[in-house]
Amino acid sequence: MRVLVVGGGGREHALVWGISRSPNCEALFCAPGNAGTALLLGERGLGGNLPVDAEDIAGVIGAARAEAIDFVVVGPEAPLAAGMVDALTEAGLLAFGPRQAAAELESSKWFAKEIMREAGVRHAAGASFSDPGGAHGFIDGTFPKSGQPPVIKADGLAAGKGVIVPGTMADAHAAVDELLGGKFGAASATVVVEERLSGLEASAIALVDGETVLPLPLSCDYKRALDGDAGLNTGGMGAYSPPGFMDPDAWSGLVESVHRPVARAMQAAGRPYQGVLYGGLMVPIGESGQGGDAAVIEFNCRFGDPEVQVLLPQLRSDLLELLVACAEGRLETVTAAWSGEAAVGVVLASGGYPGAYETGKLIRGLDTVDDDVLVFHAGTVLDGEGNVVTSGGRVLIVVGQGADLATARERAYANASRIEFEGRHYRTDIAARELS
Ligand code: AMP
Ligand code: GLY
């Protein structure tokens, strides 16, 4: 099978790595990819990067035709929300990922809430508004001044920056004005005002083929830039799997209480869901330190980045076979085996990220990494001399594995410290809360 992966981040490098191990993978391309995908595809003699933007639908279809591609895996949310899978399907190509109408589970937070209400899924209750007066009245009428201010969200896609968790009621009102005032254009022409939940976050990621649900192991990511969850929100500074605070049996319960009811509700709404259904959970933590009944705070319609970088190394089955079975609506014919080990991933970011940062910095030490440690690239390119240099905010993720989280974590950090570039920074507390 000839395969094309769309996207160029750490998630796509991990997908390319996983798919390249399939015995059925004859050729593999990544559009636009990064230095990691270029090196891997070159070394294995499978193909290479294609100079096509991940959001260029016509360009992706043209590239797929030119390389006689049989199967396209769309990585990021933006092309899914823009209808890339619809266009590929109409062009006669098999594609992994939800169609535009189904991807609204991520691209409209209010739509996701309506589906969860219909499906009876536990979620953060709230309301949506396009007029500031309505939102301000709802905040004052529903959330007592002495209590927890609500969370304010842009309804549409805002590259992970559309959620404001205000400290005070005044900040909540200001957030409404900011978002409805056009901060994210059409994406924030509607806002969602919802109750603030507390607990620990976990990512419940599954493949869904319309009906059948195939869960990946649970995982956790770290969104804030700095240790102790200080600093600004980022795309994700690290991840680990599995979360020790969740009962391993919790997953089968979540499949029944979240993923399967949502798949059914999407079918009933005439928007059958094929692809990744990623539930962002808030898990309340009891006095024993164990998690209780989780609520969904959002859905994503693609693999988590950096979660998938710690999940795929645990997979002992053929990733390509799973993705194709999902796209063909026959997930019930395949099974996924997992190592049962733990994995910890540490993101190395450019100095200044998530604010302004410089690029073009030479990366040293990639050849010093231990054999059992994986390094997935995100913002990297090859310069004219074949050196790997930085090209983005999140640059690399170093993934350690082991029988337990402590071992996996030690391996990840021992190797992360050997890779250097000017301005490099990383969090030192990924998975640390699991050690006590
Ligand atoms: P999102 O971009 O939707 O993933 O949200 C960004 C972050 O905001 C989440 O990872 C949570 O930390 C936080 N958040 C979103 N919704 C809520 C909520 N209802 N209660 C508490 N925190 C939330
Ligand atoms: N790691 C969070 C996300 O992919 O949205």
Side-chain angles (χ1 to χ4, degrees):
M1 191 166 231
R2 299 176 64 83
V3 184
L4 171 61
V5 172
V6 176
R11 167 181 46 219
E12 287 76 27
H13 187 190
L15 287 168
V16 163
W17 172 80
I19 292 169
S20 73
R21 293 151 64 95
S22 167
N24 292 325
C25 178
E26 282 164 50
L28 181 56
F29 298 88
C30 193
N34 54 39
T37 57
L39 291 170
L40 185 154
L41 293 169
E43 273 162 25
R44 307 243 171 122
L46 283 169
N49 288 346
L50 302 175
V52 178
D53 191 89
E55 292 178 44
D56 176 359
I57 294 181
V60 165
I61 291 177
R65 290 211 168 111
E67 297 295 345
I69 296 297
D70 303 300
F71 183 49
V72 182
V73 178
V74 183
E77 63 275 19
L80 292 166
M84 186 175 278
V85 168
D86 308 62
L88 287 165
T89 308
E90 271 139 42
L93 287 150
L94 182 66
F96 175 86
R99 285 175 174 260
Q100 185 173 38
E104 253 189 84
L105 267 188
E106 175 167 359
S107 65
S108 166
K109 293 187 189 292
W110 185 245
F111 173 72
K113 264 199 210 312
E114 288 184 327
I115 287 289
M116 286 193 274
R117 224 179 2 244
E118 273 161 40
V121 170
R122 188 190 297 269
H123 64 283
S128 78
F129 301 93
S130 303
D131 70 300
H136 292 308
F138 177 73
I139 293 174
D140 287 333
T142 313
F143 299 90
K145 287 205 165 46
S146 55
Q148 189 80 269
V151 177
I152 314 295
K153 302 182 171 184
D155 183 60
L157 291 182
K161 301 192 175 81
V163 174
I164 298 164
V165 184
T168 65
M169 232 38 110
D171 292 346
H173 286 292
V176 164
D177 289 332
E178 191 185 13
L179 291 178
L180 287 180
K183 184 165 190 206
F184 297 106
S188 66
T190 299
V191 295
V192 173
V193 178
E194 69 183 38
E195 62 174 327
R196 178 166 172 183
L197 303 173
S198 56
L200 292 176
E201 290 178 53
S203 304
I205 299 177
L207 304 184
V208 175
D209 70 353
E211 221 169 293
T212 302
V213 178
L214 189 155
L216 281 64
L218 294 167
S219 56
C220 292
D221 81 334
Y222 285 75
K223 289 213 172 67
R224 299 296 193 104
L226 306 173
D227 282 0
D229 287 334
L232 296 172
N233 262 335
T234 70
M237 292 297 289
Y240 70 89
S241 172
F245 59 87
M246 287 183 81
D247 184 333
D249 294 335
W251 220 153
S252 44
L254 286 165
V255 167
E256 296 311 323
S257 63
V258 176
H259 293 70
R260 223 186 290 282
V262 165
R264 267 191 228 116
M266 291 296 283
Q267 216 137 31
R271 307 179 190 224
Y273 196 93
Q274 179 268 111
V276 175
L277 182 57
Y278 159 169
L281 307 179
M282 188 66 87
V283 184
I285 303 299
E287 270 170 27
S288 65
Q290 277 304 108
D293 287 337
V296 174
I297 52 178
E298 63 162 353
F299 281 117
N300 294 315
C301 63
R302 33 77 193 175
F303 288 109
D305 182 348
E307 290 97 318
V308 82
Q309 292 94 310
V310 297
L311 295 176
L312 294 184
Q314 302 181 54
L315 181 64
R316 293 290 172 267
S317 308
D318 181 335
L319 174 65
L320 179 58
E321 187 188 11
L322 299 181
L323 299 178
V324 169
C326 185
E328 289 181 340
R330 48 173 190 81
L331 262 186
E332 79 283 0
T333 65
V334 295
T335 50
W338 302 93
S339 69
E341 292 200 335
V344 174
V346 178
V347 169
L348 308 187
S350 293
Y353 173 80
Y357 54 83
E358 291 176 8
T359 58
K361 308 293 183 195
L362 181 67
I363 302 174
R364 291 196 184 79
L366 285 169
D367 52 355
T368 65
V369 169
D370 294 334
D371 289 343
D372 58 357
V373 166
L374 290 158
V375 178
F376 294 116
H377 293 221
T380 66
V381 286
L382 293 172
D383 71 8
E385 282 139 37
N387 299 307
V388 180
V389 300
T390 67
S391 68
R394 291 192 291 172
V395 176
L396 301 162
I397 182 167
V398 181
V399 180
Q401 299 174 78
D404 50 41
L405 282 169
T407 313
R409 182 171 191 274
E410 227 173 81
R411 289 189 177 141
Y413 275 111
N415 284 270
S417 66
R418 294 183 207 152
I419 303 174
E420 290 181 32
F421 49 89
E422 192 189 316
R424 174 206 68 176
H425 75 94
Y426 57 85
R427 279 183 66 155
T428 64
D429 63 349
I430 305 301
R433 68 181 177 216
E434 294 283 357
L435 302 184
S436 48

